[in-house]
Amino acid sequence: MGRKLVAAALRWMFSWDEVKVMHLVARAENEPAVRLYRGLGYQVLHRMRAARRPLQRP
C-alpha cells in the first residue's frame, strides 16, 4: 500500500512542468519508512542531527 501511495503522489507532483526535483525527509529511526523509500530508489544524501531536550512540565 505504501508503494502505491508514494507512486501516486509522485505522479501527481510531477504532473506539473515546474516540478523537477523532489526531496524527501524521514526520521532515520523510522526503519519501515526508510526501507520503503530506498526500495523506491531513493538514496540517503544527508543525515540531519538535532538535539532535543525533554519537555519541562509546569
Side-chain angles (χ1 to χ4, degrees):
M1 178 65 95
R3 292 176 75 86
K4 289 181 180 182
L5 288 171
V6 173
L10 290 171
R11 280 193 304 275
W12 177 71
M13 286 176 41
F14 287 113
S15 68
W16 290 293
D17 292 334
E18 297 86 1
V19 178
K20 305 290 184 212
V21 176
M22 202 272 296
H23 296 272
L24 177 72
V25 177
R27 295 180 65 96
E29 55 272 359
N30 187 346
E31 293 176 14
V34 172
R35 275 195 308 274
L36 169 68
Y37 300 134
R38 282 191 168 170
L40 290 167
Y42 285 88
Q43 300 174 14
V44 175
L45 297 180
H46 304 284
R47 289 192 182 262
M48 297 187 332
R49 298 188 188 270
R52 284 192 274 172
R53 58 186 158 141
L55 292 175
Q56 298 200 1
R57 298 184 185 246

